[in-house]
Amino acid sequence: MNAPKSVRASAPVPVGADGTVRTEGRVADLVAAEDVLLFVNAAITATGQREFRSGAAEQQLSLDFLHTYVRVNYRRVYAASLALDINHHNAALIVRRLLETAGEASPGELRAEGRLIAARLALLPPPRVYRLFGELRRGKVNNRRTRAIMRDWLAARPDLGHDAVKYRAGLKTVARHIHLPCPEGGGPLAEVGAFLFRPGRLPRYEHGLLDAWRRAHYEQGAVAELPFTVAEGFAAKHGMKREVFLKRAAPGMTRLERLRTQERRAAAGRHGAPAPKADLTVMPLTRLALYVLSLGFEQRAERRAELTGALRAAARRAAGGHAGSWGRVHAVLDDSFSSSGSGQKRRRPLAVALACHHLLEVLAAPGAYRGLWTSGAGDALLVRPWGPTPLGMRILDALEPGADGAAPDRLVIVSDGWDNAPEGLAGEVLRVWRARLDPARRTAVVHVNPVYDAEGFAVRGLAAGVATAGIRDAEDLPALVEIARFAEGRTGTTELYAYLDRRVARFTGAGGEGGVAA
């Protein structure tokens, strides 16, 4: 496995005692900016899971190196990444590494990191936070700062009784680690403490969920009162029929639980109990695209109006105030065989492309969008992972003027970057376009890549002059296009750090103390 290009290209960038980068000359400045963007793209895209062209072990090793390299050389930037649209996996990794290495930070850095960590933990799903806290306990990270962060997060939880039932092992681990006071008297904490550490001591609980859990051991009627994931275990214990259980549990299921139940039934054909129907119009765009692709062609065709309407509604929500502001937009969307992803990330690249297709249609001016699939497919709802990746040919088509004779204002390419029909044509087309046909850059070209390349420590690009950004959820596309401009090589750390400082200030609601360029 090779080191990142910027690491191979130059000596390590000097770092001052305060964690700032001492750039000496334009080359060092651009190297630092490239290192930062390399990590940001990886943190947005990589999850340490198997991809189409690399295994989980390679992904994890590559990601571990990047985290260590950026934390050591650019600690302020490493922490500031928590304010960006990185995925949950990398956000938890950053929090863990910052807490494990608190001794390497200055007091000012610790204060800034504390605000970022608290703001990020508030956005992470509770199961992931409990898993993170468990890893910190096993790693014997038990300093006062870590315990305070855990206590503050628990104090902000809306209902510890609910957490005690749904995330019992995780809450029990955290309570032990931070020595959470659970007195034997009255009060909510006393009941939670009794539930976690002294089960069976109380004849009943005042908290509804805690008492439902107690009654569910011998009373089927109490099963439906529990969170769905907990109720499933009790339903199996009581031998409840699946259709009866789903009917009773339906009112308390979350939108995602309804959707997952429908997906499982779709994957198993038409056998099994009928699933409670999810309201697709309120689903996040990329998650909805994954559900659509899990359906067979016949089901998609039968439900065309419903599915297309839901995708367009989700795209309008994701576009927000950007709707119609991008002018003429042409897109090249990769539905080649590699977009099938892997067993762990099944059809994820294709789902991102499908979601981007609908989002770009909303972002473009009315009637000024044109989407081109690499397979030549004309029906977005029926796309499937198939064939080679003729990116170069599709980019040529996309750069053609529209019906009004005008060139596109933006060209967006959604692909893993493996151009192979013929190999390298996409990069050559873009190079010639920039050098000969559009030197004034009237058409903005951006490549968004949903797949992390473990061997290259980056998301695979197409051409030197074309900005490439990692993407995990199509909803982040407007923000990623903004940060992708830093990848064109024409700006250094000053502009990039100023952008990060603005994002950190918005994310934490704090002033400029502890900025990445401070």
Side-chain angles (χ1 to χ4, degrees):
M1 183 177 289
N2 299 320
K5 181 173 63 176
S6 55
V7 179
R8 300 195 304 267
S10 67
V13 178
V15 180
D18 61 351
T20 58
V21 180
R22 295 175 182 169
T23 54
E24 299 174 3
R26 181 66 174 168
V27 174
D29 193 45
L30 290 176
V31 167
E34 183 179 340
D35 285 345
V36 171
L37 289 168
L38 196 74
F39 176 71
V40 169
N41 280 332
I44 289 171
T45 311
T47 58
Q49 297 171 305
R50 178 178 176 81
E51 296 281 7
F52 184 81
R53 290 184 170 86
S54 59
E58 296 169 83
Q59 291 278 325
Q60 292 163 9
L61 181 61
S62 175
L63 199 55
D64 181 69
F65 174 83
L66 272 184
H67 274 265
T68 302
Y69 175 76
V70 176
R71 177 183 59 78
V72 170
N73 288 280
Y74 315 101
R75 187 179 179 97
R76 290 178 185 269
V77 172
Y78 188 66
S81 300
L82 291 172
L84 301 179
D85 300 311
I86 62 176
N87 62 50
H88 295 330
H89 175 77
N90 284 289
L93 273 178
I94 292 172
V95 171
R96 179 181 170 185
R97 303 278 176 102
L98 290 175
L99 293 175
E100 287 174 340
T101 60
E104 300 174 4
S106 67
E109 287 175 333
L110 290 176
R111 286 192 294 272
E113 289 172 11
R115 289 193 295 268
L116 283 162
I117 289 171
R120 193 72 203 196
L121 289 180
L123 297 179
L124 288 177
R128 194 175 288 274
V129 179
Y130 280 118
R131 194 180 315 137
L132 166 65
F133 289 166
E135 291 169 356
L136 289 169
R137 176 176 170 82
R138 288 189 292 274
K140 299 182 179 180
V141 182
N142 195 28
N143 54 68
R144 184 174 60 182
R145 177 183 182 226
T146 299
R147 293 197 303 271
I149 287 172
M150 290 180 173
R151 279 196 300 269
D152 290 345
W153 185 82
L154 279 185
R157 294 294 298 153
D159 186 352
L160 276 184
H162 172 273
D163 284 16
V165 171
K166 192 167 184 178
Y167 314 114
R168 183 174 186 174
L171 178 56
K172 193 173 183 179
T173 297
V174 177
R176 281 176 170 163
H177 195 55
I178 65 174
H179 308 295
L180 184 71
C182 298
E184 294 195 22
L189 271 182
E191 282 205 334
V192 169
F195 180 82
L196 293 175
F197 301 109
R198 299 179 295 277
R201 293 279 294 274
L202 295 180
R204 64 181 57 83
Y205 298 95
E206 295 296 326
H207 191 285
L209 273 183
L210 297 182
D211 202 60
W213 183 89
R214 177 189 64 81
R215 290 185 287 110
H217 285 80
Y218 56 85
E219 181 184 322
Q220 283 194 19
V223 172
E225 300 176 32
L226 296 171
F228 179 70
T229 52
V230 179
E232 279 190 306
F234 281 107
K237 177 182 176 180
H238 289 300
M240 293 176 66
K241 291 184 178 181
R242 186 68 176 173
E243 57 268 25
V244 174
F245 167 66
L246 289 177
K247 184 177 180 180
R248 292 180 180 178
M253 292 173 70
T254 65
R255 293 195 301 264
L256 189 55
E257 287 166 348
R258 289 171 182 266
L259 190 60
R260 283 176 176 165
T261 305
Q262 284 186 220
E263 284 178 341
R264 289 172 188 159
R265 184 168 182 260
R270 297 185 178 275
H271 301 291
K277 191 173 181 180
D279 183 2
L280 301 184
T281 61
V282 296
M283 287 292 169
L285 179 57
T286 305
R287 191 70 188 79
L288 179 57
L290 280 166
Y291 170 69
V292 169
L293 294 176
S294 73
L295 302 174
F297 292 135
E298 289 184 7
Q299 289 175 288
R300 291 189 228 174
E302 290 171 1
R303 301 172 59 186
R304 178 178 294 277
E306 176 196 2
L307 298 176
T308 302
L311 285 166
R312 288 174 175 167
R316 286 192 295 271
R317 288 196 307 273
H322 298 281
S325 65
W326 281 21
R328 297 181 185 86
V329 178
H330 291 183
V332 174
L333 308 155
D334 189 350
D335 61 342
S336 64
F337 183 65
S338 62
S339 67
S340 58
S342 66
Q344 291 177 302
K345 303 175 80 171
R346 194 177 302 277
R347 293 181 291 269
R348 180 91 198 185
L350 183 58
V352 172
L354 178 61
C356 284
H357 168 74
H358 287 278
L359 179 56
L360 289 169
E361 187 176 23
V362 175
L363 292 170
Y369 171 71
R370 183 184 179 201
L372 298 170
W373 296 90
T374 54
S375 68
D379 189 343
L381 193 67
L382 300 182
V383 291
R384 64 185 175 106
W386 179 80
T389 316
L391 281 178
M393 301 301 296
R394 290 296 171 266
I395 291 172
L396 278 173
D397 295 337
L399 289 172
E400 288 289 331
D404 58 357
D409 298 309
R410 292 179 189 262
L411 171 61
V412 180
I413 304 164
V414 186
S415 170
D416 61 6
W418 287 89
D419 176 38
N420 56 21
E423 185 175 354
L425 179 61
E428 190 64 13
V429 167
L430 291 169
R431 184 189 67 80
V432 173
W433 168 262
R434 275 287 181 245
R436 302 289 183 86
L437 302 177
D438 188 24
R441 296 178 177 262
R442 292 185 298 272
T443 297
V445 182
V446 63
H447 168 214
V448 290
N449 191 331
V451 180
Y452 177 66
D453 180 15
E455 185 176 352
F457 293 90
V459 290
R460 190 180 179 91
L462 292 175
V466 174
T468 297
I471 186 171
R472 177 162 175 80
D473 294 316
E475 293 90 319
D476 300 327
L477 184 61
L480 293 176
V481 168
E482 182 181 7
I483 199 172
R485 62 191 173 89
F486 295 109
E488 294 181 349
R490 295 182 293 162
T491 57
T493 54
T494 302
E495 297 88 346
L496 179 57
Y497 285 4
Y499 171 79
L500 291 175
D501 282 341
R502 292 193 298 272
R503 291 295 299 264
V504 168
R506 288 201 300 268
F507 187 66
T508 62
E513 181 188 358
V516 296

